[in-house]
Amino acid sequence: MKERALAVDLLRGLAIVGMVLSGYISRNPDLPAWLFHAQLPPPSFAFDPSVPGITWVDLVFPFFLFSMGAAFPFSIGRRLDRGAAAVQVAWTILRRGLLLAFFAIVLGNTNLWTLHEALQCPVAVSLLTLVVWGAFFAMFIRLRNRSERFNTLLTGCGIAALLLLLVLYRALGVDVNLHRSDIIILILANVVVAGSFLWWLTRRKPGLRMGLVALLVALKLSATVPGSWTAEVWNATFAPWLYHTEFLQYLCIVLPGSVAGELIARWLAHTGAATPAAAAQPSVTAAVPPHFVCSVTSTPAAAMPLPDGQAAPAETSVSADSAVRIARAGSAAAASAASLSAPEAAAVPSPADGKGTRPAAAPHDAEPLPVRFRLAGVLVLLLLAVNLWGLYVRALTANLLLTLLAGGAAAWLLRRPRTALQELLSALFATGLFWLLLGLVFEPLEGGIKKDPATVSYFFVTAGMASHVLLLATLLFESLHGRAGLLVRCGENPMIAYTAAGYVVVPLLFIEEQWGFSMPWIWGAGGCGAGIARGVVITLLAMLLTSAFTRRRLFWRT
């Protein structure tokens, strides 16, 4: 587990758990609309792209994307700081994207409900679904006590097994084809490749990275002009089942996430060390030679959505930059925060007692966190609640005024940070407020904020909210000396968490029902309470299963 980057794991876990929960709450027409996507309201649950607004369900995917961007300085930065060849790093990025794309296609074709429609035999459907999950396990697991050659062979066996299973599914009547895929994972496959290369390209040029975000926004807005060259570019695809240029619009969330990741990585490099070399680092504002490298101990950082290297602790290095600054307020936040590049969090083995993973005590700032920073955290929580309420009920003027009021008060409380932790909190707040206000400015465009079709306002509002969730998570772990909980463990093992419900929990419940224990709520039967309980029970069981694997350091990764 990562020591002082537990906040990124928590954000990732929150996103994964939110996806599972929202997917398993029954579509009961009597349930309130805020339990579902804003564009899929009850009672009909018919997609209506004209409905503006967002609910908590519309936050889970962008939080997932933001945490993926926040992991770039760790997953890619670690390889670069180790001196990995450019060809090797490029192949790692492409390999990850290809495996994710294959994962998306298999998920789309082996869905339990799809097979149930074709086979109409719950036990057989459940057993086959469990076999598919076992093949996923072989494809993605990396056993620490085995050689790289063995793990590569295991990956190949998993891929071969999945291909054979797709043939079997087709023989059983499932319409297996390349165009049927899990759209969430397919989008991630596209943006993880593009985002990784863009972060690599702009690792030392964060201003250029923010310029690319502006370019994407301009391309998206101008592509609405019929017959324009921008529309041609925006709608371009060389393989419709694999890639659409339009998918790259989500980089407007991923790249801001990378800025937050760099802030956290720089903080880790400054305060997370237990070694003499790290303890001897100059202060945050001191000038450091650009290529100075020192050793730091922490725990391995997971990439999002597919953690890379998290299950295999190793010694890495940290690159410190000269002229480091923290963004402190308003419109200058993104530019100032972007001036930070990404030092690398190193890895330290966690205690291996065979019963689980428990992080060692994280080093904390010598000076206790002032009460005003905790009060600022309360205001940030209020900001999140206000924007969810205001954008959903369309109280736009009240939402903007309350955002300015709470944001201004929080900025005043976070002024003049004195320690590295305080500077991190101030910077996460400032960048988050900048993206949030930018999103609110764009809100009137494109018919109001929407997840689908995604609007520019949606990208920046959710990026700002994700940055503020990172702030709150950091406050939680630093103030309460928090340890890893279920959310963090799910965040460390996101692919298992993503598949556990549909490929393990529900199939096992189906089998249990065939043994005489009636559970009609699995099929969505019952009232409002049963509909919500269905989502909560299945999600909790998936979390517990994921936590069990994480405790035993069994991680899926590409």
Side-chain angles (χ1 to χ4, degrees):
M1 269 212 249
K2 297 180 290 298
E3 279 298 357
R4 304 191 61 166
L6 288 176
V8 177
D9 277 334
L10 190 142
L11 177 65
R12 186 186 300 119
L14 189 65
I16 288 286
V17 169
M19 286 183 189
V20 176
L21 177 61
S22 63
Y24 281 95
I25 292 176
S26 298
R27 290 192 172 187
N28 188 315
D30 295 325
L31 286 173
W34 55 264
L35 284 174
F36 307 95
H37 290 291
Q39 284 80 51
L40 287 170
S44 66
F45 296 101
F47 175 62
D48 186 353
S50 67
V51 176
I54 56 173
T55 68
W56 67 271
V57 182
D58 298 310
L59 298 181
V60 294
F61 184 47
F63 281 12
F64 198 91
L65 291 167
F66 193 90
S67 62
M68 181 177 74
F72 286 161
F74 302 102
S75 59
I76 306 171
R78 179 175 61 249
R79 292 181 181 273
L80 295 173
D81 288 341
R82 283 173 176 170
V87 173
Q88 182 184 5
V89 175
W91 167 241
T92 300
I93 294 170
L94 290 173
R95 179 179 181 270
R96 177 174 299 170
L98 290 172
L99 281 176
L100 269 177
F102 179 67
F103 186 45
I105 292 169
V106 176
L107 285 174
N109 286 280
T110 61
N111 182 280
L112 181 144
W113 307 104
T114 301
L115 181 59
H116 179 72
E117 289 176 5
L119 204 54
Q120 292 295 318
C121 179
V123 173
V125 168
S126 300
L127 291 175
L128 271 174
T129 304
L130 289 168
V131 171
V132 171
W133 195 81
F136 282 144
F137 195 94
M139 183 172 74
F140 289 123
I141 193 65
R142 296 295 180 271
L143 300 174
R144 293 187 302 145
N145 57 346
R146 295 289 186 172
S147 66
E148 182 62 27
R149 182 178 179 181
F150 178 88
N151 282 317
T152 301
L153 179 62
L154 197 59
T155 298
C157 291
I159 292 173
L162 288 169
L163 290 173
L164 290 174
L165 284 165
L166 288 176
V167 173
L168 175 60
Y169 271 58
R170 188 174 183 86
L172 292 173
V174 176
D175 180 24
V176 175
N177 64 80
L178 291 175
H179 296 276
R180 173 182 284 178
S181 62
D182 184 308
I183 188 62
I184 290 177
I185 302 299
L186 188 61
I187 290 174
L188 289 173
N190 281 260
V191 297
V192 76
V193 172
S196 296
F197 279 116
L198 290 177
W199 182 84
W200 186 6
L201 176 69
T202 62
R203 188 186 184 199
R204 306 299 181 194
K205 300 174 183 178
L208 176 59
R209 195 183 318 151
M210 296 302 99
L212 291 173
V213 173
L215 187 63
L216 279 169
V217 170
L219 183 62
K220 173 180 170 58
L221 294 177
S222 62
T224 58
V225 179
S228 64
W229 69 268
T230 51
E232 292 294 325
V233 171
W234 195 249
N235 297 316
T237 176
F238 60 86
W241 54 271
L242 178 64
Y243 167 84
H244 288 270
T245 303
E246 185 181 6
F247 289 165
L248 302 185
Q249 64 185 328
Y250 292 99
L251 289 171
C252 292
I253 300 172
V254 174
L255 295 180
S258 70
V259 173
E262 289 170 345
L263 289 169
I264 293 172
R266 199 245 337 151
W267 173 57
L268 285 168
H270 177 75
T271 64
T275 61
Q281 270 199 82
S283 66
V284 174
T285 54
V288 182
H291 301 293
F292 177 75
V293 177
C294 61
S295 298
V296 173
T297 58
S298 180
T299 42
M304 180 65 189
L306 303 177
D308 180 70
Q310 63 179 5
E315 200 161 310
T316 55
S317 59
V318 175
S319 299
D321 288 330
S322 58
V324 176
R325 284 194 197 92
I326 292 290
R328 285 186 172 82
S331 60
S336 300
S339 69
L340 303 170
S341 52
E344 164 107 16
V348 63
S350 297
D353 57 4
K355 299 181 180 179
T357 303
R358 183 175 62 84
H364 295 268
D365 290 317
E367 181 178 333
L369 198 63
V371 174
R372 62 188 176 94
F373 277 79
R374 295 183 173 87
L375 291 176
V378 174
L379 288 174
V380 169
L381 186 61
L382 178 63
L383 266 178
L384 293 171
V386 162
N387 277 273
L388 263 180
W389 164 79
L391 294 172
Y392 176 67
V393 304
R394 311 305 295 157
L396 301 181
T397 301
N399 179 66
L400 178 61
L401 292 176
L402 288 172
T403 297
L404 291 172
L405 182 63
W412 183 78
L413 290 171
L414 294 170
R415 72 194 188 284
R416 294 196 296 274
R418 298 176 55 185
T419 67
L421 172 61
Q422 293 175 22
E423 288 186 334
L424 172 67
L425 296 174
S426 296
L428 286 174
F429 171 76
T431 53
L433 185 63
F434 173 81
W435 296 120
L436 178 59
L437 291 175
L438 185 62
L440 293 180
V441 170
F442 276 107
E443 209 282 337
L445 285 178
E446 304 176 281
I449 188 170
K450 299 171 189 173
K451 176 186 179 292
D452 196 8
T455 63
V456 174
S457 174
Y458 176 71
F459 300 144
F460 294 143
V461 165
T462 55
M465 294 175 110
S467 185
H468 286 165
V469 171
L470 280 181
L471 181 154
L472 291 172
T474 303
L475 268 175
L476 173 68
F477 288 121
E478 292 301 311
S479 299
L480 304 179
H481 297 252
R483 296 294 187 181
L486 282 177
L487 281 177
V488 171
R489 294 191 187 103
C490 288
E492 284 201 309
N493 230 342
M495 285 194 295
I496 288 183
Y498 189 73
T499 58
Y503 283 81
V504 180
V505 174
V506 173
L508 290 177
L509 290 175
F510 274 8
I511 293 173
E512 177 69 19
E513 187 179 39
Q514 297 306 306
W515 287 349
F517 189 73
S518 179
M519 293 180 288
W521 54 272
I522 298 177
W523 304 90
C528 292
I532 295 174
R534 175 182 188 256
V536 172
V537 170
I538 292 175
T539 302
L540 181 58
L541 290 173
M543 292 173 69
L544 291 171
L545 178 65
T546 304
S547 178
F549 281 104
T550 304
R551 282 179 174 274
R552 286 158 180 77
R553 303 192 63 75
L554 294 172
F555 298 94
W556 287 11
R557 58 191 178 111
T558 52

